[in-house]
């Protein structure tokens, strides 16, 4: 998300030098405005608006009723905006600002959903592999096992199930929008919030997670299923298996499969906690960054390049920190959730100890509490963090992409401003 800022303010524009007006049945003769002095009696100076095109950098509009000082268009005024061109200061910078803002958001979206997908695949395979001896808690062992999978099965072994993750996101957004339209549950919380509004908003999120839960299970199976025995499934296979999970038809399951009703509580708990932690961390980080930016503006004059950077990157950094903190804090709960979803689905995963061969999933957890106790007794507390090295690689790549994007953006702005 990017902050909404006005693109510009042109005031009241008169494109012709003369304007004929007849009012009240022609009682008043037509009047011609041929000079700027005549227009000053009819057009007032607009108030200060951030990003206004009719102001030079660092200038302010004069108070109401005080005529604006005349500034020549040639000389020092043009030197402030090299590259503005055409008598419109900063127009090329504004176009570059919009284009760069779109590019920054696209780069962040690409990193979160495409570049990080191999890390998500290996992370989930380690989480559901209950008899693995190597936990892959560091990024070094994760890189080694990724190389082994790529060597034995090809690149598809690390990019499987990517289409289903987008389908789950689409189902989640669509379900949230439909439920909010047909119910009084608010999709967003206003600034004047109250406990009732927060409760209704979290209820909307809970219902959304329940609707998307069977499709999330199908997507999880696609991301952990071994490529060795995997058939070429279509992109809509996730929807087919999700509907089959609900009605209990078309998908081979064993007797150890947990019913969806027993999966509602852990799924909603993980989703709501992830949303709450992400929102709180995002607000705190964004508040700190904005206060830091405000203090730096008061201490010294800020360049136009830094001002444009401050318009985009605080939200990206806040989203990055929020996602990182929520994933790290809820990683043990995510491990339990994935094992409950994958149980009884006859899924065969890759051997994360060797990098080749396959292993079946034969767990027999009775529920969330039994899963937690079994992991703690048989695998230890570190068993909840299997595959944590993939999280380190994922957010290291994300931070690197943000930093590279910032450097490119700063270079483009310095060359244009």
């Amino acid at each position: 998300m990017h902050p909404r800022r006005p693109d510009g303010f042109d005031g009241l524009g008169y494109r012709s030098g003369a304007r004929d007006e007849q009012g009240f049945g022609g009682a008043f003769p037509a009047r011609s405005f041929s000079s700027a002095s005549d227009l000053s009696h009819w057009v007032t100076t607009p108030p200060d608006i951030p990003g206004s095109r009719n102001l030079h950098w660092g200038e302010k509009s004069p108070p109401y009723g005080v005529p604006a000082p005349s500034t020549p268009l040639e000389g020092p005024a043009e030197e402030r905006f090299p590259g503005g061109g055409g008598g419109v200061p900063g127009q090329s910078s504004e176009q570059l600002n919009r284009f760069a803002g779109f590019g920054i958001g696209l780069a962040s979206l690409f990193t979160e959903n495409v570049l990080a997908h191999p890390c998500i695949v290996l992370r989930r395979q380690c989480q559901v592999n209950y008899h693995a001896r190597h936990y892959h808690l560091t990024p070094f062992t994760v890189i080694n096992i990724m190389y082994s999978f790529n060597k034995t099965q090809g690149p598809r072994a690390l990019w499987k199930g990517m289409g289903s993750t987008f389908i789950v996101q689409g189902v989640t957004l669509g379900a949230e929008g439909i439920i909010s339209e047909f119910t009084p549950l608010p999709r967003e919380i206003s600034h004047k919030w109250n406990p009732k509004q927060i409760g209704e908003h979290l209820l909307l999120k809970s219902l959304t997670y329940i609707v998307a839960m069977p499709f999330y299970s199908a997507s999880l199976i696609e991301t952990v299923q071994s490529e060795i025995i995997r058939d070429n499934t279509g992109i809509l296979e996730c929807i087919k298996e999700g509907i089959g999970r609900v009605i209990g038809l078309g998908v081979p399951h064993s007797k150890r499969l947990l019913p969806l009703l027993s999966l509602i509580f852990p799924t909603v708990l993980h989703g709501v906690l992830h949303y709450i932690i992400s929102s709180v961390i995002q607000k705190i980080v964004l508040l700190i960054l904005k206060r830091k930016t405000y203090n730096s503006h008061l201490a010294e004059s800020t360049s136009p390049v830094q001002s444009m950077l401050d318009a985009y990157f605080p939200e990206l950094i806040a989203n990055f920190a929020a996602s990182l903190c929520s994933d790290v804090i809820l990683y043990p709960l995510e491990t339990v959730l994935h094992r409950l979803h994958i149980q009884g689905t006859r899924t065969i995963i890759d051997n994360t100890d060797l990098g080749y061969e396959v292993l079946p999933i034969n767990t027999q957890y009775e529920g969330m509490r039994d899963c937690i106790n079994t992991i703690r007794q048989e695998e230890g507390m570190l068993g909840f963090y299997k595959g944590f090295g993939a999280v380190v690689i994922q957010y290291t790549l994300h931070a690197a992409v943000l930093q590279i994007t910032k450097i490119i953006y700063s270079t483009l702005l310095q060359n244009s401003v």
Side-chain angles (χ1 to χ4, degrees):
M1 296 176 64
H2 303 294
R4 297 181 179 178
R5 302 189 306 166
D7 296 334
F9 186 86
D10 295 330
L12 301 176
Y14 290 86
R15 299 186 178 180
S16 59
R19 180 177 177 181
D20 298 335
E21 294 184 356
Q22 292 183 356
F24 301 95
F28 295 95
R31 183 174 180 178
S32 174
F33 296 98
S34 59
S35 63
S37 60
D38 294 331
L39 287 175
S40 63
H41 296 288
W42 293 84
V43 181
T44 59
T45 304
D48 290 335
I49 296 178
S52 180
R53 295 178 183 173
N54 61 338
L55 300 177
H56 292 290
W57 185 264
E59 293 184 355
K60 294 183 177 180
S61 299
Y64 176 78
V66 179
S70 59
T71 303
L73 295 179
E74 63 275 356
E78 292 182 348
E79 296 177 357
R80 302 178 193 175
F81 292 91
V88 182
Q91 183 176 2
S92 61
S93 299
E94 291 181 0
Q95 295 176 355
L96 180 62
N97 193 14
R98 298 192 194 100
F99 176 76
F102 173 76
I104 291 171
L106 186 62
S108 179
L109 184 64
F110 173 81
T111 306
E112 293 178 1
N113 297 277
V114 180
L115 189 60
H117 190 75
C119 300
I120 296 176
V121 170
L122 187 60
R123 158 185 170 182
R124 292 181 174 182
Q125 283 189 326
C126 293
Q127 286 177 324
V128 300
N129 191 355
Y130 63 98
H131 43 62
R133 294 174 298 174
H134 299 287
Y135 289 5
H136 299 294
L137 302 177
T138 62
F140 306 104
T141 58
V142 170
I143 294 176
N144 187 24
I145 201 67
M146 281 184 175
Y147 175 76
S148 299
F149 285 155
N150 183 74
K151 184 178 180 180
T152 56
Q153 304 179 30
R156 292 184 57 182
L158 298 176
W159 300 93
K160 54 190 176 184
M162 187 175 64
S164 64
T165 58
F166 287 103
I167 291 178
V168 173
Q169 293 180 7
V171 170
T172 303
L173 294 176
E176 183 178 352
I178 294 175
I179 295 175
S180 62
E181 287 292 332
F182 291 93
T183 61
L185 302 178
R187 194 171 186 179
E188 296 180 356
I189 300 178
S190 61
H191 296 288
K192 298 180 180 179
W193 56 269
N194 52 59
K196 180 182 178 182
Q197 188 179 22
I198 293 180
E200 293 177 347
H201 180 68
L202 294 180
L203 178 59
L204 172 64
K205 292 292 182 180
S206 302
L207 295 176
T208 302
Y209 297 140
I210 294 175
V211 173
M213 181 175 59
F215 306 100
Y216 182 83
S217 296
S219 176
L220 177 63
I221 295 174
E222 289 191 16
T223 53
V224 301
Q225 183 86 9
S226 177
E227 194 69 19
I228 297 177
I229 63 170
R230 178 184 174 89
D231 298 330
N232 293 327
T233 57
I235 191 174
L236 299 180
E237 191 71 19
C238 175
I239 298 179
K240 177 182 177 181
E241 293 186 1
I243 297 176
R245 182 73 182 267
V246 175
I247 62 179
L249 297 176
V251 182
H253 296 146
S254 66
K255 295 180 179 180
R256 293 174 286 105
L257 181 69
L258 295 174
L260 290 178
L261 291 178
S262 62
L263 297 176
I264 289 179
F265 177 75
T267 303
V268 172
L269 179 64
H270 176 268
V272 171
L273 288 179
H274 195 283
Y275 175 74
I276 293 175
I277 295 174
S278 299
S279 301
V280 172
I281 297 296
Q282 182 180 4
K283 295 295 182 182
I284 294 175
V285 174
L286 197 59
L287 181 63
I288 294 175
L289 293 177
K290 286 186 176 181
R291 182 172 298 179
K292 182 180 179 181
T293 302
Y294 178 75
N295 293 334
S296 63
H297 286 182
L298 293 180
E300 56 183 5
S301 58
T302 306
S303 62
V305 175
Q306 187 62 35
S307 297
M308 292 182 182
L309 291 176
D310 293 339
Y312 290 104
F313 280 93
E315 287 196 7
L316 293 179
I317 296 175
N319 292 335
F320 170 80
S323 181
L324 173 61
C325 293
S326 56
D327 280 351
V328 171
I329 294 174
L330 297 177
Y331 196 88
L333 179 59
E334 184 183 68
T335 300
V336 174
L337 178 66
H338 287 170
R339 292 197 182 188
L340 295 178
H341 273 275
I342 208 71
Q343 177 174 303
T345 57
R346 295 183 179 179
T347 302
I348 297 179
I349 65 173
D350 296 311
N351 190 336
T352 57
D353 289 336
L354 303 177
Y356 55 91
E357 297 182 352
V358 294
L359 297 171
I361 300 295
N362 294 321
T363 56
Q364 296 181 0
Y365 304 122
E366 297 179 358
M368 180 177 177
R369 180 179 299 180
D370 181 53
C371 182
I372 295 175
N373 295 332
T374 304
I375 294 176
R376 185 174 62 247
Q377 294 174 5
E378 298 182 359
E379 305 171 50
M381 294 303 298
L382 292 180
F384 293 98
Y385 292 92
K386 285 185 174 180
F388 188 78
V391 178
V392 179
I393 297 178
Q394 175 182 346
Y395 285 98
T396 301
L397 289 175
H398 196 177
V401 170
L402 286 180
Q403 188 64 27
I404 293 174
T405 307
K406 184 176 182 180
I407 294 175
I408 296 176
Y409 187 31
S410 302
T411 305
L412 292 175
L413 287 177
Q414 289 176 358
N415 294 334
S416 62
V417 176

